[in-house]
Amino acid sequence: MKETLEYYYGLDIDFLEELDGKYHFKLDNQDYFFVFYNRSIDELKDIVNVCNEMVLKGINVNKILINRNNSYLTKINEYDYILFAVSNINEEYDIFDMIKISDKLVLNNSKSSLYRNNWGTLWSEKVDYFEYQVRELAINKDVVKNSFSYYIGLAENAISYVNNTNFKYKNVLDYRIVLSHRRVYFPNYKLNYLNPLSFIFDLEVRDIAEYLKSMFFNKNEEYVLEELSSYLKVRRLSIYEYQMLFARLLYPTYYFDNYESVMNKNVDEEVLVKIIKRCNDYEIFLKKAYLEISRYAKIDKIDWIIDLH
């Protein structure tokens, strides 16, 4: 692979390491990553356009490099790969940084293949697939079998909440579609946050909710609630956005992401135990998050959460 990279990109690489199918090396105080391109070809043009716009607006996005064939994609063994360079790899982005960046990259009237926001449909399709997968493949996975139905229940609550919100506010256009990400984590390092392969366009509250959910499993509940409060104080949202924020907090991405790793990548089930042990704590967090959001808008309630003691 070292020789392939040197040939296609004209680089002189001293040391190349592989981790989870990603190839990493350093040159001139920058980190380079050669990774499998896991998006559609149609999306590549829009991803490049977004990156160019970010550069024009002073955002130091991870830079996609062109190979000797003047292409962003390099084919290795029939698979497409992409090379990008990252400076200040461990730089962190907090909620206020996220707000600043989303303010600079709003999707207005233009069409984009990166546009998402059909959460109810996507979540329903995922739940159907997960249920099939568990029936067929989870025979020896006791942690999955004993916890799965609880998180499917949470997901179905979130799907109903989203579908009801879309029905109630289908004629309300008071929301913004901004640069978002497939997933945001805490800590929110530049390597992931400014990785072009993660870019999509969606509601701003998507990233905020995913960041807070990840934070919950790394920090205590009070810390996360303070972050949520800080966000709500500085960002006035529409009723539609407040509702979708709560729906996203309700949907257990944190469980399903790890579940997929267990089922597809042979990761040990123990990664789920940490999450499962905090299910009651997360329910209390949801109640407190609902009450905090309700200070700004009268959002729909879910009785079993509000009735928690």
Side-chain angles (χ1 to χ4, degrees):
M1 187 60 75
K2 179 175 176 288
E3 291 77 14
T4 300
L5 281 164
E6 290 178 335
Y7 171 77
Y8 277 106
Y9 295 95
L11 301 171
D12 186 12
I13 302 168
D14 290 329
F15 176 73
L16 181 71
E17 61 179 349
E18 181 187 1
L19 182 65
D20 291 334
K22 301 181 183 70
Y23 296 89
H24 169 242
F25 59 94
K26 285 177 173 282
L27 276 178
D28 301 326
N29 295 320
Q30 283 201 314
D31 287 86
Y32 290 78
F33 293 87
F34 191 58
V35 299
F36 174 64
Y37 180 70
N38 59 359
R39 306 286 293 263
S40 73
I41 300 302
D42 291 340
E43 290 175 313
L44 182 58
K45 181 179 177 181
D46 285 334
I47 288 171
V48 171
N49 287 340
V50 168
C51 290
N52 291 339
E53 185 177 352
M54 293 175 82
V55 170
L56 289 174
K57 293 183 175 179
I59 302 167
N60 192 12
V61 63
N62 302 350
K63 183 181 179 182
I64 306 174
L65 281 82
I66 295 176
N67 64 24
R68 65 180 294 162
N69 298 328
N70 205 33
S71 172
Y72 290 105
L73 299 178
T74 300
K75 196 171 287 294
I76 309 289
N77 297 327
E78 302 306 311
Y79 292 101
D80 287 320
Y81 282 77
I82 201 160
L83 179 67
F84 60 86
V86 188
S87 57
N88 302 320
I89 191 170
N90 291 322
E91 186 176 350
E92 280 191 55
Y93 292 79
D94 62 18
I95 276 183
F96 300 105
D97 297 320
M98 293 162 68
I99 290 172
K100 288 176 186 173
I101 288 177
S102 69
D103 277 343
K104 292 181 178 181
L105 291 140
V106 179
L107 186 65
N108 295 316
N109 297 322
S110 60
K111 298 285 186 183
S112 174
S113 63
L114 309 182
Y115 178 70
R116 299 298 185 267
N117 195 23
N118 51 340
W119 302 355
T121 302
L122 290 173
W123 291 349
S124 294
E125 290 171 353
K126 274 205 161 189
V127 164
D128 289 344
Y129 175 68
F130 292 157
E131 289 180 322
Y132 161 78
Q133 194 177 39
V134 165
R135 285 195 305 270
E136 299 295 323
L137 302 174
I139 297 169
N140 298 316
K141 299 190 182 299
D142 291 338
V143 175
V144 168
K145 287 190 294 185
N146 292 333
S147 60
F148 185 73
S149 61
Y150 171 81
Y151 289 99
I152 288 295
L154 274 183
E156 288 174 345
N157 270 210
I159 292 164
S160 294
Y161 203 93
V162 163
N163 290 340
N164 290 339
T165 298
N166 283 328
F167 179 77
K168 285 175 69 174
Y169 302 103
K170 61 184 176 182
N171 295 320
V172 176
L173 298 177
D174 187 17
Y175 59 84
R176 299 181 320 141
I177 299 297
V178 302
L179 184 69
S180 304
H181 303 75
R182 285 175 156 181
R183 196 70 78 240
V184 176
Y185 303 101
F186 176 87
N188 188 17
Y189 293 122
K190 181 178 182 181
L191 175 61
N192 178 63
Y193 190 63
L194 293 186
N195 174 8
L197 301 191
S198 181
F199 291 165
I200 57 172
F201 279 97
D202 204 339
L203 298 171
E204 180 181 273
V205 295
R206 175 198 179 110
D207 278 7
I208 300 300
E210 294 302 331
Y211 179 67
L212 293 173
K213 285 188 286 188
S214 179
M215 184 185 292
F216 179 87
F217 292 97
N218 289 276
K219 292 283 189 178
N220 60 45
E221 174 193 297
E222 289 74 21
Y223 188 96
V224 186
L225 287 167
E226 286 175 11
E227 289 290 298
L228 173 61
S229 176
S230 296
Y231 174 71
L232 294 172
K233 282 175 183 173
V234 300
R235 179 66 97 205
R236 290 305 165 109
L237 304 171
S238 67
I239 181 65
Y240 178 76
E241 291 169 310
Y242 285 119
Q243 295 241 148
M244 295 296 267
L245 171 60
F246 186 68
R248 195 91 200 182
L249 290 172
L250 185 59
Y251 185 76
T253 344
Y254 51 87
Y255 176 87
F256 289 136
D257 285 352
N258 283 288
Y259 159 84
E260 287 189 278
S261 294
V262 169
M263 298 300 288
N264 302 332
K265 301 177 185 176
N266 296 316
V267 173
D268 195 279
E269 285 185 286
E270 283 298 310
V271 300
L272 293 172
V273 173
K274 173 186 172 185
I275 292 166
I276 296 163
K277 283 181 176 177
R278 298 200 65 194
C279 66
N280 292 334
D281 295 337
Y282 196 80
E283 289 177 2
I284 298 298
F285 165 70
L286 283 173
K287 177 177 179 176
K288 292 180 178 179
Y290 168 84
L291 294 173
E292 185 65 31
I293 296 169
S294 295
R295 295 174 58 198
Y296 298 87
K298 188 177 180 181
I299 63 171
D300 294 344
K301 67 178 181 178
I302 296 176
D303 289 337
W304 71 265
I305 292 175
I306 304 310
D307 293 340
L308 289 169
H309 296 293

